[in-house]
């Protein structure tokens, strides 16, 4: 078939590149290529101006499709200088591989935000031909300065910041420039050189000229474009490796101590955690033929080796390297190669083409912030960028594979730290309200109806959840210490470790709670009514206390050590294990005790979410906005600093909790193992379909049945290693709805889910886990107990099932049931559903407390209760002062809606919970609290993982 002569050829065709790969930038004005059919997945990308865009790709699309969509959205011609980076499951920042399917690389696309950043830094900015490209490079330099990556002397720093200010606010005006510097942080030590910055501020430059001058200064700095990778030499000296256009660089601290030019390097390789540089023979050089550097892991070596390969190809080769021919029998070494145009190809293409200049918008930061903000904080301030048209920020845009654009309205752009790293891969769209479409008329109507009430109720949420949080801290600092810490068998070292790092936090939050209570009392008019207007804000209280909380970071960092040490002594001492288990049976310990140990880390997320709501509600001119924005920046920095510890500890805590729920299993808690999903599936055997509880980890899948132990543990029946496993849908083969077959190396198992969405979730997670297991270099560990009696398989399914009534309604009293009978595992067993680690992590953020009125289906009156929502359950108290809950209601499997007219519930702000014949009505005090309760409960009910149907005209 001959193409029409008038159809313009693409850059790839003119460069002779293959049609599917190799050219990562689209022609301006052309639509992205049509994608292969299949389920569309939304991927969120943060741009260099801190806006976020959402792109739709096919689930089988390679990374190049997503990258091309981003470049097309920006109208970016020289896109190959840039890349998409993200935090992978190993908590490492890696580049998106353009040749591999995107979803093979991004483990949790819904909870991952990719950063569009500069990947290749050319030695001379004049090689960047387009003004848009230089502008994006200038934004990268601005970010590197603020984050402390671009180290330089005060004179260079002042010059660069002066050019940034010139491009943002124009010519020098003493008052304006001083105010701009006061409210925007560009450097870690900006206040010390503020006068020098204003002295350097020059007039008469356009923004494009300012970008040019900024890059001219930056390119001469030793740390320009440098990204340090920690390593050690043969003698164990701590060093850092980096790669540049010239070759591989060696740093000690921020001082370059050696450089190996590409012309002198014969080969780069890695072996396990050793990075090897083989040099060409040189009689005049005293270096060894092969240099060896030790890095922290094999993965770190591979990440650095890959970027070295790409830098060499981009700057040294004339064209993209061709793929290696596939070997017939055996493979050796990595097949990784650079994909995209080289720098020479880009320069030649732009020089030879007559491209029209496409106008673009420069984002100017006009959001005020506290002068006490750190350099990292400035990035957070820019998360809601201001434009000339809208002071509140830019809309989210979804770009799909056909090039069409769908406006999703205004939304929160939170979720990233100063370097664009996600604060938590667990951020829920239900919390950020990004998916809620609301037009300007509705916003205006709400503001007129509630000019200040929403801010008051947001502040009240801070108060109610702070009360619950302080009670949870009290479980650790008082209840646990008095019940367990005084026993001689409990080691003093662990007791002192917990006391030293939780008591100061508890004491601090006692004072914080008093201040919040006082402010809310003043705000609501119960005291000092004549000066009520001065107290209709909460940002000043939050800013002051969050800055105080930052002083406790050293204690928060020790909380993971407390959890690890407590687990160690429980493992080594049967007496201590018994003490802890008995404490968990007490009514005050209404959750697994390890969850209480992680509460302070989780509370940071709650403060961040509350502040995001306040900043979204307030206009930038509001008196409370500046303090809220500054407090948000401070707490976001803390979350970023502690997020790695938080994620590791959540997985560690979940493995410890599952260890208590299972019997007949050894070595569950080992380094590198990650929990992925647990839930109910039916296993096909000679006796038909039998209900089994399945537990999916990053290296194996185990299946169990409910045993008859005193603690209602689940008995392990079998283990399926994931390495080498394949999965196939087998509904037609066996005639069983929603069934699929798992083909392992030793055995095959046919299982069936309760519904199609459940099957999809299981199949998706198992395939992801199989990929992880095949990529892992660690050997598979046998989980089954070595005891012959424990390892005996019991496939008759004779275990007696509990009544559903034991888990439903107000009758599910914790006093009667005991803790282990009310765990998430047991709820999933009875409700025939499943929960993933992502769900657990989202539940951490979706916590809420407050007074609700409750009504049963056939009762007349409403009962006022203090209700705490956490861990997929509602816990009921008489008042917030009670030490333990009276009853609980696990919500997995429930539906949450609003009552129908036929139910005759003639009250405002009422929501309904129902499961089978169980129906409960709850009434909240305001529109905001009604929306919040609906929001968090949806995250734990059966509809949490599906689309959210609107049950109220102005909701979601």
């Amino acid at each position: 078939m001959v193409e029409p002569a008038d159809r313009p050829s693409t850059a790839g065709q003119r460069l002779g590149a293959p049609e599917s790969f190799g050219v990562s930038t689209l022609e301006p004005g052309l639509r992205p290529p049509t994608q292969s059919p299949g389920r569309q997945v939304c991927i969120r990308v943060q741009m260099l101006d801190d806006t976020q865009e959402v792109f739709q790709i096919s689930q089988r699309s390679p990374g190049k499709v997503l990258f091309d969509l981003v470049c097309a959205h920006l109208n970016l011609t020289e896109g190959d200088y840039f890349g998409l980076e993200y935090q992978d499951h190993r908590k490492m920042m890696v580049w998106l591989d353009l040749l591999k399917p995107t979803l093979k690389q991004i483990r949790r696309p819904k909870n991952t935000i990719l950063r569009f950043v500069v990947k290749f830094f050319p030695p001379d900015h004049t090689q960047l031909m387009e003004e848009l490209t230089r502008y994006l490079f200038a934004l990268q330099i601005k970010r590197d300065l603020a984050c402390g990556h671009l180290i330089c002397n005060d004179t260079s720093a002042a010059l660069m910041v002066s050019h940034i200010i010139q491009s943002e606010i124009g010519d020098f005006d003493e008052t304006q420039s001083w105010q701009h510097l006061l409210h925007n942080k560009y450097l870690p030590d900006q206040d010390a050189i503020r006068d020098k910055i204003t002295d350097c501020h020059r007039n008469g430059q356009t923004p494009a000229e300012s970008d040019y001058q900024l890059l001219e200064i930056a390119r001469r700095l030793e740390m320009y474009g440098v990204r340090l990778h920690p390593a050690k030499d043969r003698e164990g000296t701590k060093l850092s490796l980096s790669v540049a256009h010239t070759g591989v660089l060696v740093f000690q601290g921020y001082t370059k101590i050696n450089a190996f030019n590409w012309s002198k390097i014969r080969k780069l390789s890695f072996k396990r955690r050793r990075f090897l540089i083989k040099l060409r023979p040189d009689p005049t050089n005293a270096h060894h033929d092969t240099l060896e550097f030790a890095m922290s892991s094999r993965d770190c070596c591979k990440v650095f080796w890959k970027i070295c390969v790409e830098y060499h190809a981009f700057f040294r080769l004339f064209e993209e390297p061709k793929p290696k021919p596939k070997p017939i029998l055996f493979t050796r070494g990595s097949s990784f190669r650079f994909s995209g145009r080289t720098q020479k190809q880009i320069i030649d293409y732009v020089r030879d083409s007559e491209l029209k200049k496409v106008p673009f918008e420069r984002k100017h930061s006009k959001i005020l912030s506290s002068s006490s903000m750190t350099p990292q904080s400035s990035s957070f301030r820019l998360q809601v960028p201001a434009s000339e048209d809208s002071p509140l920020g830019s809309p989210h845009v979804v770009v799909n594979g056909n090039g069409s654009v769908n406006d999703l309205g205004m939304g929160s752009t939170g979720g990233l730290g100063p370097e664009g790293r996600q604060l938590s891969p667990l951020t829920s769209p239900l919390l950020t309200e990004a998916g809620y479409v609301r037009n300007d008329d509705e916003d205006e109507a709400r503001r007129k109806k509630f000019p200040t009430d929403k801010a008051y109720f947001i502040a009240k949420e801070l108060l109610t959840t702070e009360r619950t949080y302080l009670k949870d801290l009290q479980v650790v600092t008082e209840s646990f210490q008095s019940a367990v810490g005084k026993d001689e068998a409990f080691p003093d070292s662990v007791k002192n470790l917990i006391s030293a790092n939780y008591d100061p936090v508890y004491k601090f939050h006692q004072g914080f709670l008093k201040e919040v209570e006082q402010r809310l009392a003043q705000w609501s008019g119960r005291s000092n009514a004549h000066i009520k207007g001065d107290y209709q804000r909460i940002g000043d209280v939050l800013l002051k206390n969050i800055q105080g909380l930052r002083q406790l970071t050293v204690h928060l960092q020790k909380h993971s050590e407390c959890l690890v040490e407590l687990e160690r002594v429980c493992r080594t001492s049967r007496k201590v294990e018994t003490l802890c288990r008995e404490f968990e049976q007490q009514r005050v310990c209404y959750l697994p005790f390890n969850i209480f140990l992680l509460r302070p880390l989780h509370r940071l997320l709650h403060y961040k979410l509350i502040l995001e709501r306040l900043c979204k509600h307030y206009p930038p001119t509001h008196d409370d906005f500046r303090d809220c924005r500054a407090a948000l920046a401070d707490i976001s920095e803390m979350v970023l600093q502690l997020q790695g510890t938080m994620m590791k500890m959540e997985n560690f805590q979940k493995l410890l909790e599952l260890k208590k729920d299972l019997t007949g299993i050894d070595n569950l808690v080992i380094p590198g193992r990650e929990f992925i999903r647990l839930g109910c599936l039916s296993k096909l055997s000679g006796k038909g379909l039998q209900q089994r509880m399945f537990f999916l980890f990053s290296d194996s899948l185990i299946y169990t049945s409910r045993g008859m132990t005193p603690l209602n543990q689940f008995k392990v029946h079998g283990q399926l290693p994931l390495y080498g496993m394949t999965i196939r849908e087998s509904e037609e083969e066996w005639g069983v709805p929603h069934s699929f077959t798992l083909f392992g190396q030793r055995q095959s198992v046919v299982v069936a889910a309760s519904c199609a969405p459940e099957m999809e979730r299981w199949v998706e997670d198992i395939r992801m886990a199989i990929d992880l297991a095949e990529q892992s270099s660690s050997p598979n560990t046998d989980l089954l107990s070595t005891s012959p009696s424990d390892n005996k398989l019991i496939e008759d399914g004779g275990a007696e099932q509990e009544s559903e009534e034991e888990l439903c309604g107000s009758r599910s009293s914790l006093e009667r049931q005991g803790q282990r009978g009310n765990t998430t595992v047991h709820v999933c067993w009875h409700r025939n559903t499943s929960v993933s680690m992502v769900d657990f992590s989202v539940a951490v953020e979706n916590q809420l407390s407050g007074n609700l009125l409750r009504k049963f289906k056939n009762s007349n009156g409403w009962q006022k209760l203090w209700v705490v929502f956490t861990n997929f359950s509602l816990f009921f108290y008489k008042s917030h002062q009670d030490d333990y809950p009276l009853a609980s209601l696990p919500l997995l499997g429930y539906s949450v809606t609003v009552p129908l007219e036929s139910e005759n519930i003639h009250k405002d702000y009422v929501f309904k919970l129902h499961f089978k014949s169980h129906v409960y009505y709850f009434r909240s005090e305001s529109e905001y609290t009604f929306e919040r309760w609906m929001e968090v409960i949806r995250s734990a009910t059966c509809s949490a993982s599906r689309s959210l149907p609107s049950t109220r005209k102005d909701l979601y």
Side-chain angles (χ1 to χ4, degrees), residues 419-607:
E419 299 176 10
R421 293 191 177 98
Q422 59 186 45
L423 294 176
S424 173
L426 318 168
T427 303
S428 168
L430 294 176
L431 282 169
T432 60
E433 303 179 355
Y436 175 38
V437 181
R438 182 187 297 168
N439 60 39
D440 294 337
D441 293 337
E442 291 173 323
D443 274 341
E444 184 62 27
R446 282 171 175 250
R447 282 195 292 271
K448 288 180 179 178
K449 188 176 181 181
F450 299 110
T452 58
D453 281 5
K454 183 171 182 179
Y456 169 76
F457 287 115
I458 296 174
K460 192 169 183 179
E461 179 183 335
L462 171 67
L463 170 64
T464 57
T465 53
E466 189 72 13
R467 284 172 173 167
T468 299
Y469 172 55
L470 203 64
K471 282 290 184 182
D472 288 349
L473 282 179
Q474 204 171 338
V475 174
V476 179
T477 59
E478 296 181 9
S479 303
F480 181 77
Q481 295 282 29
S482 61
V484 177
K486 293 181 180 179
D487 195 287
E488 294 181 355
F490 197 83
D492 289 339
S493 60
V494 180
K495 178 175 65 176
N496 295 336
L497 180 67
I498 294 176
S499 178
N501 291 290
Y502 283 87
D503 289 354
V505 177
Y506 176 63
K507 184 178 180 180
F508 171 82
H509 284 280
Q510 282 182 308
F512 184 19
L513 177 59
K514 288 180 181 178
E515 288 190 44
V516 176
E517 287 177 332
Q518 182 181 6
R519 176 56 57 85
L520 266 292
Q522 294 166 336
W523 196 337
S524 61
R526 292 195 297 272
S527 63
N528 297 328
H530 61 288
I531 54 172
K532 177 180 173 183
D534 295 335
Y535 295 105
Q536 292 183 340
R537 53 181 178 155
I538 195 66
D540 56 331
V541 176
L542 278 164
L543 179 59
K544 171 192 169 186
N545 284 276
I546 286 174
Q547 289 177 341
L549 186 60
R550 294 181 65 177
Q551 308 305 314
L552 299 176
T553 302
V554 63
H555 297 297
L556 298 176
Q557 291 172 332
K558 285 282 188 178
H559 288 181
S560 60
E561 183 180 341
C562 295
L563 180 59
V564 172
E565 283 299 300
L566 182 61
E567 190 276 334
R568 182 186 62 79
V569 296
C570 287
R571 190 176 66 250
T572 56
S573 170
R574 183 64 61 88
K575 174 68 173 174
V576 174
E577 182 184 19
T578 302
L579 286 171
C580 293
R581 186 170 63 244
E582 290 175 350
F583 176 73
E584 283 196 327
Q585 298 301 317
Q586 295 185 18
R587 292 180 294 185
V588 70
C589 191
Y590 65 99
L591 297 170
F593 179 66
N594 289 338
I595 292 181
F596 291 103
L597 292 178
L598 296 181
R599 277 292 197 245
L601 295 177
H602 295 158
R603 187 59 178 159
L604 302 180
L605 295 174
H606 304 158
Y607 293 143

Side-chain angles (χ1 to χ4, degrees), residues 242-453:
S242 185
V243 62
H245 66 280
T246 56
V248 179
L249 311 178
V250 183
F251 285 80
Q252 193 164 29
Y254 295 112
T255 303
K256 184 170 67 175
I257 61 174
N258 214 335
F260 302 98
N261 195 283
W262 294 124
S263 61
K264 297 180 180 179
I265 297 175
R266 180 182 173 189
K267 182 180 181 181
L268 294 175
S269 62
F270 66 97
K271 187 175 183 181
R272 297 186 177 89
R273 53 194 293 267
R274 292 180 296 149
F275 184 79
L276 306 173
I277 303 176
K278 180 171 285 190
L279 301 174
R280 298 184 185 278
D282 185 358
T284 63
N285 197 336
H287 287 296
H288 298 286
D289 178 54
T290 301
L291 301 175
E292 180 177 313
F293 298 91
M295 305 187 86
S296 59
S297 67
R298 179 184 181 275
D299 292 330
C300 292
C301 270
K302 188 172 184 180
V303 167
F304 183 60
W305 174 80
K306 281 185 173 182
I307 189 61
C308 288
V309 170
E310 292 182 306
Y311 252 79
H312 177 266
F314 184 80
F315 287 107
R316 298 280 290 182
L317 301 185
F318 289 158
E319 59 183 18
E320 177 193 5
K322 299 295 187 292
K324 298 178 182 178
K326 292 185 178 181
I328 299 176
L329 294 177
F330 303 102
T331 61
R332 183 178 181 181
S334 174
S335 61
F336 175 78
R337 65 182 178 89
F338 168 75
S339 172
R341 295 182 295 186
T342 66
Q343 187 190 32
K344 184 180 185 303
Q345 286 179 306
I346 299 173
I347 294 173
D348 291 345
Y349 167 67
V350 176
R351 185 183 61 229
D352 298 340
S353 303
E354 295 182 0
L355 300 175
K356 294 182 180 179
K357 290 188 177 181
V358 180
F360 62 95
E361 180 185 6
R362 292 173 177 267
K363 300 294 182 181
H364 295 274
S365 175
K366 295 181 180 178
I367 298 176
L368 299 181
S369 62
S370 171
S371 60
S372 64
M373 293 172 65
T374 62
Q376 287 89 341
S377 306
S378 64
S379 315
F380 291 105
R381 185 173 59 256
L382 295 175
Q383 284 177 359
V384 188
S387 67
E388 297 292 338
D389 301 324
S390 171
L392 295 179
S394 301
H396 282 304
V397 175
V398 172
V399 184
N400 61 31
N402 295 322
S404 60
V405 178
N406 307 311
D407 186 5
L408 290 184
M410 309 297 285
S412 168
T413 57
L416 292 188
E419 299 176 10
R421 293 191 177 98
Q422 59 186 45
L423 294 176
S424 173
L426 318 168
T427 303
S428 168
L430 294 176
L431 282 169
T432 60
E433 303 179 355
Y436 175 38
V437 181
R438 182 187 297 168
N439 60 39
D440 294 337
D441 293 337
E442 291 173 323
D443 274 341
E444 184 62 27
R446 282 171 175 250
R447 282 195 292 271
K448 288 180 179 178
K449 188 176 181 181
F450 299 110
T452 58
D453 281 5

Side-chain angles (χ1 to χ4, degrees), residues 703-719:
Y703 53 96
T704 68
S705 66
R706 186 170 171 275
M708 300 301 293
T709 66
L711 296 177
N712 293 326
Q713 292 171 297
F714 283 80
K715 169 70 178 177
V716 175
H717 284 208
Q719 171 191 3

